[in-house]
Amino acid sequence: EIRSFLLRFRAEGFPPFAELCLYMAVRCFHVENLILPNLRRGRHVVCDRFSDSTVAYQGYGRGLNIELIRQMNRRATGSLVPDVTFLIDVPVEVGLSRLRRSPDRMEGEPLEFHQKDRQGFLKIAEENPDRVVVVDGTQSVESVFSQVVERVKGFLNCP
């Protein structure tokens, strides 16, 4: 419900810090009620987005203090960090051209915002080479999929 609120277009402006706080609230709720219980059961958890997205979007994209965002992420997640993160990287124009529906509020941001986000994600990958795997998303879907599957198999020690 909060995510839907965040992504809806609105007439009034959305203060970047309010946006950050709401994303952190959602993240904390998600970690406490879904991720941690499953990890405690010995299950693997796959997320579409996690704390790196907040650093990229609200830090690099919105210009909020990155160290503050990292501190808030640590508090919201109990310092939980993914074991592996896949960054499917494409030029901004390519990514936006792949939308198959009307853009939401974040997707509808100006090109410059998305370029800052992409640079933020690439900086995060550069700073965390043992955790973040960058995959060239301009390749075929099959190629991207098989690269991710191979890395996951290696991570899980599967044949």
Side-chain angles (χ1 to χ4, degrees):
E1 292 169 23
I2 292 173
R3 187 172 191 281
S4 173
F5 175 78
L6 280 161
L7 296 179
R8 194 171 337 133
F9 282 101
R10 56 192 68 257
E12 70 274 11
F14 209 122
F17 187 71
E19 181 182 82
L20 171 64
C21 289
L22 289 172
Y23 275 115
M24 289 299 171
V26 169
R27 177 149 310 118
C28 183
F29 186 89
H30 192 71
V31 166
E32 290 295 324
N33 292 290
L34 183 67
I35 296 175
L36 286 177
N38 278 289
L39 291 176
R40 288 183 187 120
R41 290 184 188 105
R43 296 179 178 153
H44 297 284
V45 177
V46 177
C47 294
D48 182 11
R49 299 186 192 280
F50 201 61
S51 53
D52 291 337
S53 294
T54 310
V55 172
Y57 284 99
Q58 281 69 45
Y60 289 96
R62 298 275 188 236
L64 295 177
N65 182 288
I66 290 173
E67 188 48 41
L68 171 66
I69 295 169
R70 287 184 173 139
Q71 289 173 9
M72 291 176 74
N73 265 323
R74 283 191 293 274
R75 294 294 296 269
T77 66
S79 297
L80 186 65
V81 177
D83 293 315
V84 64
T85 299
F86 292 96
L87 171 57
I88 312 299
D89 181 46
V90 296
V92 170
E93 297 82 0
V94 172
L96 292 173
S97 75
R98 291 179 176 177
L99 285 174
R100 298 288 180 244
R101 57 175 166 66
S102 296
D104 60 33
R105 186 178 66 83
M106 295 294 280
E107 294 161 346
E109 289 288 350
L111 199 59
E112 179 186 11
F113 172 79
H114 294 290
Q115 289 166 336
K116 290 178 185 177
D117 294 340
R118 181 179 182 224
Q119 291 310 309
F121 277 116
L122 292 170
K123 178 102 172 121
I124 292 165
E126 182 184 306
E127 293 169 347
N128 299 277
D130 294 337
R131 176 177 63 83
V132 181
V133 177
V134 180
V135 178
D136 179 359
T138 64
Q139 302 172 79
S140 70
V141 171
E142 295 77 16
S143 177
V144 170
F145 177 76
S146 54
Q147 288 176 58
V148 171
V149 167
E150 285 308 308
R151 292 303 285 267
V152 169
K153 282 181 178 179
F155 179 76
L156 297 175
N157 296 316
C158 296

